[in-house]
C-alpha cells in the first residue's frame, strides 16, 4: 500500500496588513521589509482563531476531493499557535467542527509541521491502519508575536492549508520520499519561552522570539543538505522536479536553497510576498494557490522543503494528483 496526496485546500482571513500599515505600528519601512524578506502583505485573523482557519481549509480540501468529513479516518494538525496551550488539541476542536469523532492530534514541529504531518500520515497509511488522513497546517501567529518587536512582527502572517492523504495501490501517484530532521541544540534560537511549564507565569516573555541572523544561516545550510539528500537517494535531479514548493519564510532563504540545488527560478513557487511567513500553513497554502491558477497540475512532481523552531527541517517528494 502507498500513500498519495489526494487533494489540497486553503483559507486565509480577510484582513490584509501591508508594510505601509506596519510603518504606523513599529519603527520599520516598506523598503527594509521588502529588501530583507520579500514580504509586502500578510493576512491577519481578527475574530477567528486557529481552529476556525483550519476548519475552513479542511472544508476546502474535502470539497476539492469530493469527499464528506465522515470519510476521514484521522486528523493530524500542525501549529505553533494552537487555540489552547496544552489541551485540548486544536485537531480535536477541528474534528468537532467537522462533526466527526475520530483520532485527532496536534504535532509541534513549528514551520516544518506540514512535512512532519505528511510523514506521519504516510506511515499510518502504508501500515494499513487508515485510508484517508486529513493533515492541516494552521496558524494565527499574529496572536503570538510581539507587536512592539519590529524584528519579528513584520515577518509573519495568518492562514491555513489542508491536504487529504489517501491509500493507493498505484505507485505512480504515491509520495516518493520524506526526509525529516531535528536538532535541539538550537532550541533558544526560535522560541516562545513563557508558554510552557519551564518559565510559566514567572516570565513576561510570552511572545515569539527569534535570533534572525543565526536562524537564517542554519536554515540555508540544513535545507540545502536535506533537498540534496532526498534528490540523491531517489536518483533525481532538479531537472526531474516540476515545482519546488519551499516553506515561505523569506525569499532570500528560498533563493539561496534554490541556487544550492540548481533549481531554475521559474520552478520555484513564491507566495511569501502576499502572505508572509505562515509557518506550518505556508506549504499547503502555496500548493493550493498554484493549483488554483492552473500551474501545478495532476502528475506534476513537487519538491517540498521546510525549516522551523526546534530547529526542525525536512523535505518531501510528492506528485500532485
Ligand atoms: N525594520 C527596520 N529595521 C529593522 C527591522 C525592521 N522590521 N528589524 C530589524 N531591523 C534592524 C536591526 O535592528 C538592525 O539594526 P542595527 O544594524 O542598527 O543593529 C538591522 O536592521 C539589521 O538587522 P539584522 O537582524 O542583522 O538583519 P538581517 O539582514 O539578518 O535581516 C531577518 C533580518 C529577520 C529578515 C533575517 O535575519 C532573516 O530572514 N532571518 C531568518 C528568519 C526566518 O525566516 N525565520 C523563520 C524561520 S521558519
Amino acid at each position: 500500500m502507498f500513500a498519495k496526496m489526494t487533494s489540497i485546500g486553503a483559507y486565509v482571513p480577510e484582513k490584509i496588513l501591508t508594510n505601509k500599515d506596519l510603518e504606523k505600528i513599529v519603527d520599520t519601512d516598506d523598503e527594509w521589509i521588502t529588501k530583507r524578506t520579500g514580504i509586502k502583505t500578510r493576512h491577519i485573523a481578527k475574530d477567528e482563531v486557529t481552529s476556525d482557519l483550519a476548519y475552513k481549509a479542511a472544508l476546502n480540501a474535502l470539497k476539492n476531493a469530493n469527499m464528506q468529513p465522515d470519510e476521514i479516518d484521522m486528523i493530524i494538525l500542525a501549529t505553533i499557535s494552537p487555540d489552547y496551550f496544552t489541551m485540548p488539541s486544536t485537531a480535536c476542536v477541528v474534528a468537532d467542527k467537522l462533526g466527526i469523532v475520530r483520532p485527532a492530534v496536534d504535532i509541534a514541529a513549528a514551520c516544518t509541521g506540514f512535512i512532519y504531518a505528511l510523514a506521519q500520515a504516510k506511515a499510518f497509511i502504508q501500515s494499513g491502519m487508515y485510508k484517508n488522513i486529513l493533515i492541516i497546517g494552521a496558524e494565527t501567529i499574529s496572536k503570538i508575536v510581539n507587536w512592539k518587536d519590529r524584528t519579528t512582527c513584520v515577518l509573519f502572517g495568518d492562514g491555513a492549508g489542508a491536504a487529504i492523504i489517501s491509500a493507493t495501490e498505484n505507485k505512480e501517484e504515491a509520495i516518493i520520499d520524506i526526509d525529516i530532521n531535528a536538532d535541539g541544540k538550537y532550541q533558544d534560537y526560535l522560541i516562545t519561552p513563557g508558554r510552557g511549564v519551564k518559565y510559566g507565569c514567572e516570565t513576561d516573555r510570552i511572545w515569539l522570539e527569534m535570533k534572525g541572523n543565526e536562524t537564517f544561516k542554519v536554515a540555508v545550510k540544513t535545507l540545502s543538505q536535506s533537498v540534496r539528500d532526498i534528490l540523491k537517494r531517489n536518483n533525481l535531479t532538479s531537472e526531474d522536479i516540476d515545482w519546488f514548493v519551499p516553506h515561505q519564510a523569506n525569499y532570500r532563504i528560498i533563493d539561496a536553497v534554490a541556487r544550492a540545488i540548481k533549481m531554475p527560478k521559474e520552478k520555484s513557487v513564491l507566495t511569501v510576498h502576499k502572505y508572509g511567513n505562515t509557518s506550518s500553513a505556508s506549504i499547503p497554502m502555496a500548493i493550493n494557490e498554484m493549483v488554483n491558477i492552473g500551474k501545478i497540475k495532476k502528475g506534476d512532481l513537487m519538491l517540498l522543503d521546510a525549516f522551523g523552531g526546534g530547529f526542525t527541517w525536512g523535505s518531501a517528494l510528492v506528485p500532485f494528483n
Side-chain angles (χ1 to χ4, degrees), residues 31-51:
E31 196 193 332
W32 191 97
I33 302 171
T34 307
K35 205 165 143 213
R36 308 269 171 147
T37 71
I39 301 166
K40 284 296 208 184
T41 58
R42 69 284 290 142
H43 289 244
I44 302 289
K46 262 181 74 197
D47 304 321
E48 294 165 306
V49 291
T50 300
S51 63

Side-chain angles (χ1 to χ4, degrees), residues 106-160:
D106 283 5
I107 56 168
C111 301
T112 317
F114 186 77
I115 291 186
Y116 268 72
L118 192 65
Q120 294 189 12
K122 178 175 179 278
F124 272 122
I125 284 167
Q126 285 180 186
S127 76
M129 198 160 163
Y130 297 122
K131 286 205 161 36
N132 296 302
I133 300 184
L134 173 64
I135 63 170
I136 307 173
E139 307 285 1
T140 48
I141 305 192
S142 63
K143 297 181 199 288
I144 61 159
V145 290
N146 181 354
W147 286 98
K148 292 187 179 130
D149 175 10
R150 67 176 182 170
T151 69
T152 52
C153 74
V154 304
L155 305 175
F156 295 92
D158 300 339

